[in-house]
Amino acid sequence: NAGVTQTPKFQVLKTGQSMTLQCAQDMNHEYMSWYRQDPGMGLRLIHYSVGAGITDQGEVPNGYNVSRSTTEDFPLRLLSAAPSQTSVYFCASSYGQGESPLHFGNGTRLTVT
Amino acid sequence: DAKTTQPPSMDCAEGRAANLPCNHSTISGNEYVYWYRQIHSQGPQYIIHGLKNTETNEMASLIITEDRKSSTLILPHATLRDTAVYYCIPQGGANAGNNRKLIWGLGTSLAVNP
């Protein structure tokens, strides 16, 4: 049981490049979400999904797109990377939305130059 | 939205109990108190949660005051591997169905010293 798997672990992009951060879970969780963590700030919610085909915006959605075509996968896309998107990104999933523990991946450390 | 107050840092001697406080005076009546920890930039890890009184599992104990405005996470015999940032999060209840309202503060950085 792998839990929540994020790839890649590290990534360096140039301003304007695009990329996709991958997130997969094998726990059949309906709820999945993306957070970013910056120094001196708490985790901030980017986007979340309550099931396949359903996504919604979190606190800081600008510059990011998501889709949820399967229960297992929830990729996060940066269409045109900016230095302000330099951060550590965490994917999390849970059985329910808010009423059960969140399971986190080990993060993707992204640097945009 | 419920907010929490935690001390920014604490120290504990290895083998002793670590008692981490959290104030959540605006918690709603049906919200649970969840605790997570984050070890050395890994993803946060769930520890324990409770609605009232005391909960215990293999990792820790959670004591919630009768008025539910504060709680204490207890690591009974802290080890060096317990060095981490600990987060207290009101979750579920009125917020169930909307994880947008989870507010992650900066937590308490616990240093367990040999």
Side-chain angles (χ1 to χ4, degrees):
Chain A
N1 192 338
V4 179
T5 302
Q6 290 185 238
T7 56
K9 287 185 170 57
F10 301 93
Q11 183 70 49
V12 179
L13 291 178
K14 294 186 187 304
T15 297
Q17 286 184 317
S18 64
M19 80 158 295
T20 299
L21 281 63
Q22 302 292 344
C23 175
Q25 53 89 12
D26 61 358
M27 297 171 283
N28 202 31
H29 285 168
E30 289 295 319
Y31 178 84
M32 297 185 74
S33 55
W34 278 101
Y35 287 87
R36 60 177 290 173
Q37 187 172 37
D38 301 296
M41 303 187 74
L43 289 165
R44 291 183 293 168
L45 184 64
I46 304 172
H47 284 285
Y48 66 97
S49 168
V50 299
I54 306 170
T55 64
D56 203 350
Q57 297 180 348
E59 180 186 356
V60 288
N62 293 339
Y64 307 95
N65 282 349
V66 292
S67 60
R68 183 94 179 270
S69 56
T70 67
T71 299
E72 294 78 20
D73 300 298
F74 191 44
L76 179 71
R77 281 183 287 277
L78 285 70
L79 298 179
S80 179
S84 61
Q85 294 178 306
T86 293
S87 187
V88 182
Y89 292 85
F90 290 103
C91 179
S93 71
S94 68
Y95 181 74
Q97 191 188 172
E99 68 269 25
S100 56
L102 288 165
H103 298 255
F104 285 83
N106 278 328
T108 294
R109 284 144 186 82
L110 175 67
T111 301
V112 183
T113 61
Chain B
D1 299 342
K3 291 182 171 59
T4 61
T5 303
Q6 298 180 253
S9 63
M10 295 182 65
D11 287 288
C12 177
E14 188 178 19
R16 303 297 294 268
N19 298 286
L20 291 89
C22 179
N23 287 323
H24 34 76
S25 58
T26 60
I27 193 170
S28 64
N30 54 358
E31 278 184 307
Y32 288 77
V33 179
Y34 275 71
W35 282 80
Y36 295 83
R37 72 181 183 184
Q38 187 172 24
I39 296 174
H40 191 52
S41 298
Q42 296 177 17
Q45 173 193 23
Y46 165 77
I47 302 172
I48 196 169
H49 73 284
L51 186 64
K52 58 183 178 181
N53 299 326
T54 301
E55 297 288 343
T56 297
N57 64 17
E58 66 278 4
M59 292 180 69
S61 293
L62 172 61
I63 299 175
I64 302 171
T65 58
E66 190 169 346
D67 62 7
R68 297 198 350 106
K69 292 185 177 181
S70 65
S71 61
T72 301
L73 178 75
I74 300 171
L75 308 177
H77 305 287
T79 71
L80 299 179
R81 288 176 292 179
D82 293 321
T83 292
V85 178
Y86 288 77
Y87 299 97
C88 161
I89 309 283
Q91 183 178 337
N95 282 340
N98 190 354
N99 266 337
R100 295 179 67 175
K101 293 189 176 181
L102 294 184
I103 299 175
W104 293 78
L106 296 178
T108 295
S109 179
L110 175 68
V112 180
N113 304 308

